[in-house]
Amino acid sequence: MLSLCMHISRKHITIFVAILILVLLTTVLFLLFKQRTITVAFRDVPESVQSAVTQQLQLLLNQLDEKAGKSKSTFRLETINYPSNTPVQQQLRQKPKVDLLICQAGLVADAATAYAFERKAGVSNSILNTMPQTVAESAKQSNSLVAAIPLLIDHYELAVSTSSDQLPFIFAGGHDSTLLALAGAIAEAAYGTETAKQLAKDATNLAAKEITTLQNVAKILAQGITSQQIPQFCLNLLQEEVAVYMSNTTPEKVFMPLSFHRTLPYESLRRHKSTFMPSNQQSRSFTAPITYAIPLTSRGKTAKTIETLLQMLTGSECQGQLANATGLAPVHATASTPDVQADDLRYWIAASNPPLPPLDKAAFATERQAADFADAFRSMVLEYVNSNTR
């Protein structure tokens, strides 16, 4: 009887061990061959950039699979949009966990970069070798790792009329980002780079009326309004209204981002030449938003794949395709550009200091904070206008 029990027990044990080994083997094979997800989040970037970057990433993933001879994709690309009224630190700690963030330079990028370094995420700084020095200097580095890789360059340009039929200087002052970008650009042009940087720091910590540089910028705009060089309605003009205005008249100057310029028809632009804010300053730092890619994971194969994707995305071929799809300037020093505006912009950035983020991105973590500050700035300008017209 004892012998029979021992025989049954050994038989059961053998079967149990065999089943356990089979389960473990199946699990290992599943983990090795299952499709993984790379989650990419976009925040505060134009739709054209979102579309172009997403398309390029998918094409590159397909290329990696073809190169490896795989019939089934190793990684699946998933994209999400982060709203602009929630601190990015909070968003990055929520599910789904993001592997790569695409955003503009400023406080959001700074916070996301700090989070990336906290997670020991980043790529080799050799990725910056093909960029103009001033673009490479704008990247965020820690030791030999880079966690904010430049992808594309936008610019708050000045479109200047080449026609004799000239009307005033206009801008979309009802668009908070454009209004604050103009304030920062005027501060840089009138008082220099360091003053513009300090303005951003002060805007983060002080009320608008407490900032001397902002008071001076408000006075400059108010003088333009009272001298009739700037229509007062520009303080509330929306971008779509600027588009309509330019289709019917030829403003002397238009302050706008290149990304908005790209949405306008040729007939609205053919009598304008794009340039930058004039200044007597010898050293310049233009208000030119850089779109960053920020890797947020250090997990084995996912992190390595993201680094490979970013190396390819910042290469000459992909940069030319991104620039052509968005109309923005590439960060690669020799990549092809879609036209003279993008080519000029890359040259201007290479020939100046690292570019500055627009004031709303440099000073505020959420869109609501920027909107409140923009409202206060409008009121300051109008107060100076009213005091000079009594």
Side-chain angles (χ1 to χ4, degrees), residues 220-241:
I220 290 172
L221 284 177
Q223 288 167 0
I225 292 172
T226 55
S227 64
Q228 298 185 340
Q229 293 176 327
I230 301 173
Q232 185 170 317
F233 63 74
C234 282
L235 292 175
N236 296 294
L237 200 62
L238 300 176
Q239 283 188 320
E240 52 267 33
E241 293 171 325

Side-chain angles (χ1 to χ4, degrees), residues 242-383:
V242 170
V244 172
Y245 194 92
M246 291 184 70
S247 69
N248 293 305
T249 63
T250 305
E252 181 182 356
K253 297 181 181 71
V254 185
F255 180 82
M256 59 182 170
L258 179 58
S259 51
F260 174 65
H261 172 136
R262 295 309 187 196
T263 68
L264 299 174
Y266 171 74
E267 280 301 310
S268 297
L269 295 164
R270 66 184 180 87
R271 291 186 293 273
H272 286 88
K273 180 180 180 180
S274 296
T275 185
F276 47 81
M277 186 73 72
S279 171
N280 292 324
Q281 303 288 327
Q282 292 184 341
S283 181
R284 300 299 306 275
S285 294
F286 300 120
T287 302
I290 288 183
T291 297
Y292 285 126
I294 304 177
L296 296 164
T297 181
S298 55
R299 297 196 317 268
K301 193 167 185 178
T302 301
K304 289 179 181 178
T305 300
I306 287 175
E307 178 159 10
T308 301
L309 291 173
L310 292 177
Q311 290 282 1
M312 298 168 76
L313 208 58
T314 53
S316 178
E317 183 179 353
C318 282
Q319 278 289 294
Q321 292 172 353
L322 284 175
N324 188 61
T326 62
L328 303 182
V331 298
H332 191 286
T334 61
S336 61
T337 55
D339 57 18
V340 66
Q341 284 86 16
D343 198 41
D344 283 347
L345 172 55
R346 181 171 56 184
Y347 171 76
W348 296 335
I349 298 302
S352 59
N353 293 315
L356 299 174
L359 183 57
D360 67 313
K361 301 295 188 297
F364 305 108
T366 68
E367 190 177 89
R368 182 69 264 163
Q369 292 170 336
D372 291 341
F373 193 86
D375 285 342
F377 179 59
R378 283 188 196 91
S379 296
M380 287 174 62
V381 175
L382 288 173
E383 285 179 14

Side-chain angles (χ1 to χ4, degrees), residues 86-100:
T86 303
V88 73
Q89 300 95 317
Q90 179 180 331
Q91 292 169 327
L92 293 176
R93 285 173 166 78
Q94 295 173 343
K95 291 185 178 181
K97 289 293 185 180
V98 171
D99 301 302
L100 184 65

